[in-house]
Amino acid sequence: MKFSKIDIENFRQYYGNVPIDLATDDQKNIVVIGGRNGYGKTNLLLSIVWCLYGDKLSQIDDHFKKEIQKEKNYNSFMQQSINWTAKKEDIDTFSVTIRIDETELPELKMLNSNSADSVIIKRQFNVSTMIEDLHIIDPISNMELFNDDEDKINFINDYIIPIDAAKFVFFDAEKIAEIANLSIKEEGSFINDALGKILGLDTYETLIDDIETYINNLKKEGATKNLQEQIADKENAIKLSQIAIDKFEEENADSLKKIDELKKAIREFDNLISSESKQGNSKFDREKILTEITELKIKETELAEKFNELSEILPLTILSGKLEEVNEHLDLQESNSVFGKIASENSAKIEEFIELLFNKPPEPENSSFSLKDKMFYFEKAQDLSHKLFNQQDNNDDADLAFEHDLSNADKKMIQDAIDLVNTQSKDFFESTIDEFNATKIKLSELTNTLNKVDADLEDDIILEYNSKKEKADFQLSEANQKIGENKANISKEEMNVKRLNQSYQDLLKKVEINKKNKTKIAKSAEYLDVLKKFVFEQKEQKKESLAKNILEEMQKLMHKLNTSGSQFVSDIKVTILAEGNGMKITLYNSDDEEIKKEVLSQGEKQLYISSLIKAILKESIQSLPIFIDTPLGRLDDEHIKNILLYYYPDLSEQVVILSTNNEITPKRFNDISESVSKSYLLVNDGINTELKKGYFHSYED
């Protein structure tokens, strides 16, 4: 599948109709679109995603979700998306059109045979009427292929790119490094989503969820009035927690919008102060100090968030030894229970065997066995049986001074706590704290230096600018603090939802189910088992190839793998997590020691996740186009060279890269020129953006 052409009309920076030819071939699969920050690279990506998914935009990426939340809702977000120049000319409609070639399409009578592998998707929005229209068109006959909107949405999900797979097709390469910071369960969920959408397993997993919901509803039918009230209370509590989470996320979106405005105001005040200042013989470069302070503040915010996350599990880390002891005790308790049950069952079977052997017919003809002889062998058989079977059970049965009276939910909570602690390492805690403290100290030093520089420059107008800047700085700090508080509250509510769901399931187990519903539940459970087994087997088949492909990609990309001596990563294992939680990927060094992903550098994390995404895409039946914003993020020169030469040229049959000239310099562009089919430069006149053929070093007027 390839996106051969895109037409953007009056969307954001793109005034009028801006056509983009993205055609590629087997030898040249890359399209490079260059542009400075703010010139429209991200909005170009946004236009494509919006064209395909409309108001479902927020489901694809957190960035898109936050942008919509800043404007309160989807319609407000759309109203802000019309080009400013077009709006001044009283144009009230914008649109995006995509021509898609080389894709498998359903057999439709209205499809012209010459266009059986091509289709045009167009979405437009009218800011006056607030009406949005989606069109799916045959490129030869120009006929609409569907009348019903639901059919159009299903067509895009079934034959173009499923919405849940979109985040693996349209992504910010720098931000994907954050996936390496996810917990085992969260990363497992990410991989589960990816493989599910790429392999088509999501249909079966959705069916599993539907059957489980159906079973829960059947169970609720037989509940007593008291149980019904308790179940309803739990359902309402879960809804209230979800509402609270949405509220905190909306507040954070407002805060992010405010932060953007405050940062802009602070930059303006700094520029005004610099323009009004006469630094004379000052040995300090005020602009350089400001740049360093800005970078350190970003780093401080990132580290503060990471530190807050770590601080929540610090008590668990301190108690990790005790948690392990409790878990081992529970394992022994469970073993004793199992062995006790087995011993009891064995004893009953032994008694029955002896009884059948000595006291029940048939007996041998003309037997001279006296009653006394029978009793002797009866008692001997009992004694030998108990020695042979019960002694073995007793050897395995450990003595416990006491037993924990914990529910399954309590036991699971202990195991989850241990798993959470095991994902972190002592070195990671210490390095995060040290880095956070070092950043704070450096920031304080630079702030003091800046204050000294400004103190030598002060006059009335600079004093006024400084006062306004200090106020904006204070408000910025408050907004960041509010976001941190809300994130902590969101985590608490998510834990609450998890606890409530467990209680909800416990209540359902107490319901007396009638005979008719028992039959339905039993049959549904059979279907459920078959589906779960099928999904598990599919993942089991893919885990080895997934591990192999990830390692191969990392070996190409990470120069540490090619150094002499011990290899940085020598093996990768993929494990299927229990309860449908996806897959866990573990990295090992040459000493067979696990490499914690959290200790990787940001660049190494980006390479790891890039390798993971490529390995997942290799499992796809159909080749998908890949669109990448900020392609080289935080990578060093050697890693950049490896990514450009060995990653993008065979990532997919069509790879569209949105880059700045700092990421793909003219020299780097020349290195990959043999793989480049088209190159463009986004040119902005201060308001609108247009495309010129060629890259930064050479483009056509």
Side-chain angles (χ1 to χ4, degrees):
M1 177 194 302
K2 293 182 180 179
F3 286 19
S4 56
K5 188 184 178 189
I6 297 170
D7 287 274
I8 307 175
E9 187 166 347
N10 295 322
F11 180 84
R12 303 230 157 187
Q13 291 106 319
Y14 299 93
Y15 172 60
N17 181 58
V18 179
I20 311 172
D21 179 5
L22 299 177
T24 59
D25 56 43
D26 294 341
Q27 283 72 41
K28 299 191 173 189
N29 68 315
I30 296 176
V31 176
V32 180
I33 301 177
R36 300 186 187 280
N37 291 329
Y39 277 22
K41 296 190 302 298
T42 302
N43 282 333
L44 193 157
L45 193 64
L46 172 65
S47 73
I48 300 168
V49 178
W50 171 72
C51 179
L52 294 175
Y53 307 109
D55 61 3
K56 302 294 188 295
L57 198 61
S58 60
Q59 296 179 20
I60 295 161
D61 185 272
D62 280 343
H63 171 74
F64 297 147
K65 182 178 180 180
K66 288 172 183 176
E67 289 298 311
I68 292 171
Q69 286 176 333
K70 284 181 185 180
E71 303 298 337
K72 299 298 183 185
N73 56 54
Y74 176 75
N75 281 339
S76 297
F77 177 72
M78 285 293 100
Q79 277 190 315
Q80 302 304 316
S81 294
I82 192 162
N83 178 268
W84 296 335
T85 305
K87 188 176 180 180
K88 288 179 180 178
E89 295 175 357
D90 293 328
I91 296 171
D92 58 5
T93 301
F94 60 86
S95 66
V96 178
T97 306
I98 305 172
R99 177 176 172 126
I100 301 171
D101 292 326
E102 299 179 34
T103 186
E104 293 182 13
L105 299 175
E107 292 184 9
L108 298 172
K109 290 180 181 178
M110 61 190 73
L111 267 175
N112 185 297
S113 60
N114 294 326
S115 59
D117 66 347
S118 300
V119 70
I120 291 173
I121 299 174
K122 178 178 180 178
R123 191 182 293 269
Q124 61 186 34
F125 190 94
N126 186 297
V127 296
S128 298
T129 62
M130 305 297 285
I131 293 175
E132 182 171 297
D133 293 309
L134 174 62
H135 305 278
I136 298 179
I137 303 163
D138 169 33
I140 302 298
S141 65
N142 285 325
M143 288 178 61
E144 282 271 5
L145 299 182
F146 304 98
N147 295 320
D148 187 73
D149 282 346
E150 189 172 342
D151 288 339
K152 297 172 186 176
I153 293 167
N154 290 337
F155 170 80
I156 291 171
N157 275 294
D158 294 340
Y159 292 95
I160 307 302
I161 300 169
I163 188 168
D164 291 316
K167 58 185 163 187
F168 311 112
V169 174
F170 312 100
F171 60 88
D172 183 323
E174 184 177 13
K175 289 179 182 174
I176 62 169
E178 296 169 8
I179 298 167
N181 295 324
L182 298 177
S183 67
I184 289 174
K185 188 172 180 180
E186 288 171 331
E187 186 188 55
S189 177
F190 170 85
I191 300 167
N192 196 59
D193 281 348
L195 273 181
K197 307 315 167 189
I198 296 298
L199 300 177
L201 297 178
D202 56 311
T203 304
Y204 300 99
E205 292 184 324
T206 300
L207 186 55
I208 288 170
D209 291 339
D210 290 342
I211 293 174
E212 287 177 339
T213 301
Y214 173 70
I215 290 173
N216 286 340
N217 289 335
L218 287 174
K219 289 178 179 178
K220 285 192 291 184
E221 286 181 11
T224 62
K225 185 177 180 181
N226 182 39
L227 264 179
Q228 282 180 350
E229 289 174 354
Q230 291 182 58
I231 289 169
D233 286 344
K234 288 288 181 283
E235 288 175 337
N236 289 331
I238 290 169
K239 286 178 184 176
L240 287 173
S241 286
Q242 294 290 2
I243 290 169
I245 289 170
D246 291 341
K247 174 178 168 289
F248 291 131
E249 286 182 343
E250 286 175 8
E251 287 180 1
N252 278 358
D254 288 339
S255 295
L256 285 170
K257 186 175 182 180
K258 185 177 180 181
I259 285 170
D260 287 344
E261 293 169 353
L262 287 168
K263 284 181 177 178
K264 184 178 178 182
I266 290 168
R267 283 196 300 270
E268 288 175 356
F269 290 135
D270 275 323
N271 290 336
L272 288 168
I273 291 169
S274 295
S275 64
E276 294 292 335
S277 301
K278 294 181 175 59
Q279 297 194 41
N281 296 322
S282 174
K283 63 179 180 179
F284 297 105
D285 185 337
R286 191 176 187 280
E287 295 299 325
K288 186 178 179 182
I289 295 171
L290 283 172
T291 301
E292 287 186 57
I293 287 174
T294 301
E295 291 172 353
L296 284 170
K297 282 184 176 180
I298 293 170
K299 187 176 181 180
E300 181 190 31
T301 302
E302 291 174 351
L303 288 169
E305 287 183 9
K306 190 185 292 184
F307 184 72
N308 286 336
E309 292 170 6
L310 291 175
S311 65
E312 290 178 11
I313 66 169
L314 196 57
L316 295 177
T317 306
I318 295 169
L319 295 171
S320 60
K322 293 295 181 185
L323 287 171
E324 291 286 0
E325 285 179 20
V326 172
N327 203 40
E328 288 174 8
H329 191 111
L330 289 171
D331 287 341
L332 285 172
Q333 191 174 306
E334 180 70 21
S335 296
N336 284 356
S337 174
V338 170
F339 283 126
K341 186 179 179 182
I342 292 171
S344 177
E345 289 174 354
N346 283 343
S347 181
K349 288 177 181 177
I350 289 166
E351 293 291 338
E352 184 181 2
F353 172 77
I354 294 171
E355 178 69 22
L356 291 170
L357 181 64
F358 291 103
N359 293 329
K360 300 292 181 184
E363 294 182 354
E365 294 181 8
N366 303 320
S367 172
S368 60
F369 233 29
S370 66
L371 177 62
K372 185 178 179 181
D373 290 337
K374 284 185 179 181
M375 288 300 297
F376 172 79
Y377 284 109
F378 180 87
E379 290 171 2
K380 184 177 180 180
Q382 279 187 319
D383 185 50
L384 287 172
S385 298
H386 285 296
K387 281 182 179 178
L388 288 170
F389 291 99
N390 286 356
Q391 186 64 42
Q392 182 181 349
D393 293 337
N394 289 336
N395 285 341
D396 291 329
D397 195 1
D399 291 329
L400 295 176
F402 64 93
E403 290 193 357
H404 292 291
D405 183 19
L406 300 176
S407 67
N408 287 334
D410 295 331
K411 293 174 184 176
K412 189 173 186 305
M413 193 177 295
I414 290 170
Q415 187 58 55
D416 286 345
I418 292 170
D419 289 343
L420 182 62
V421 170
N422 287 340
T423 62
Q424 310 298 338
S425 66
K426 181 183 177 184
D427 291 342
F428 184 54
F429 273 99
E430 292 176 352
S431 64
T432 302
I433 293 168
D434 290 345
E435 192 175 3
F436 180 73
N437 290 335
T439 302
K440 292 280 287 184
I441 291 168
K442 182 66 176 175
L443 188 57
S444 177
E445 290 173 354
L446 285 172
T447 302
N448 289 336
T449 302
L450 183 65
N451 289 337
K452 289 176 183 177
V453 171
D454 287 348
D456 296 335
L457 309 173
E458 286 181 353
D459 57 23
D460 289 342
I461 192 165
I462 292 178
L463 279 171
E464 182 184 346
Y465 292 150
N466 262 329
S467 175
K468 289 179 178 178
K469 182 194 164 190
E470 286 173 7
K471 183 179 178 181
D473 272 327
F474 178 75
Q475 291 174 331
L476 184 65
S477 177
E478 281 189 324
N480 278 318
Q481 185 177 342
K482 182 68 176 174
I483 287 175
E485 291 171 359
N486 282 347
K487 283 185 176 179
N489 288 329
I490 288 170
S491 296
K492 288 177 184 176
E493 292 295 343
E494 287 173 342
M495 288 295 291
N496 194 38
V497 168
K498 188 176 179 181
R499 180 183 58 80
L500 288 167
N501 273 320
Q502 184 61 53
S503 300
Y504 175 76
Q505 291 299 323
D506 290 341
L507 287 172
L508 290 178
K509 290 175 184 176
K510 297 178 182 179
V511 177
E512 290 289 334
I513 304 167
N514 62 46
K515 186 176 179 180
K516 183 179 178 182
N517 281 355
K518 276 184 180 178
T519 304
K520 291 180 180 178
I521 290 171
K523 184 56 69 175
S524 298
E526 287 179 21
Y527 295 142
L528 206 56
D529 288 341
V530 171
L531 286 168
K532 286 182 176 179
K533 184 180 178 182
F534 171 76
V535 170
F536 178 83
E537 287 173 349
Q538 293 298 308
K539 292 177 182 175
E540 190 72 26
Q541 290 173 14
K542 294 296 178 183
K543 72 175 188 179
E544 296 303 327
S545 63
L546 194 63
K548 177 175 172 286
N549 288 331
I550 295 170
L551 183 60
E552 283 180 358
E553 289 304 320
M554 291 189 76
Q555 286 175 333
K556 287 181 190 175
L557 302 180
M558 299 182 78
H559 65 265
K560 288 185 182 181
L561 288 162
N562 300 321
T563 56
S564 60
S566 176
Q567 286 187 318
F568 180 61
V569 177
S570 63
D571 193 20
I572 290 177
K573 292 180 183 175
V574 177
T575 310
I576 298 176
L577 298 174
E579 299 181 2
N581 288 324
M583 295 181 173
K584 175 190 174 185
I585 295 174
T586 310
L587 313 179
Y588 294 92
N589 62 21
S590 57
D591 296 324
D592 205 29
E593 297 170 335
E594 181 181 349
I595 302 169
K596 297 287 186 182
K597 299 187 193 87
E598 58 266 24
V599 302
L600 300 176
S601 69
Q602 285 300 115
E604 288 166 344
K605 287 175 183 176
Q606 182 174 332
L607 293 177
Y608 159 63
I609 298 301
S610 296
S611 299
L612 170 60
I613 287 177
K614 189 169 182 179
I616 289 170
L617 289 171
K618 280 187 177 180
E619 305 296 339
S620 175
I621 298 171
Q622 178 171 264
S623 176
L624 299 171
I626 306 297
F627 289 75
I628 306 166
D629 193 10
T630 323
L632 303 173
R634 305 176 184 182
L635 302 177
D636 59 34
D637 283 339
E638 190 165 358
H639 286 122
I640 286 174
K641 183 178 180 181
N642 288 348
I643 280 274
L644 289 175
L645 293 179
Y646 308 119
Y647 184 76
Y648 292 134
D650 67 346
L651 175 60
S652 172
E653 290 180 4
Q654 183 184 40
V655 180
V656 180
I657 301 174
L658 306 166
S659 174
T660 64
N661 60 337
N662 290 328
E663 293 175 289
I664 299 182
T665 61
K667 181 181 181 304
R668 290 170 183 162
F669 180 88
N670 287 333
D671 290 341
I672 60 167
S673 59
E674 290 183 1
S675 299
V676 176
S677 171
K678 305 275 189 315
S679 63
Y680 300 100
L681 183 67
L682 299 176
V683 181
N684 187 278
D685 62 7
I687 300 175
N688 298 316
T689 292
E690 59 180 329
L691 266 76
K692 302 287 188 181
K693 290 183 179 179
Y695 196 58
F696 281 97
H697 58 293
S698 172
Y699 67 87
E700 299 175 16
D701 292 329

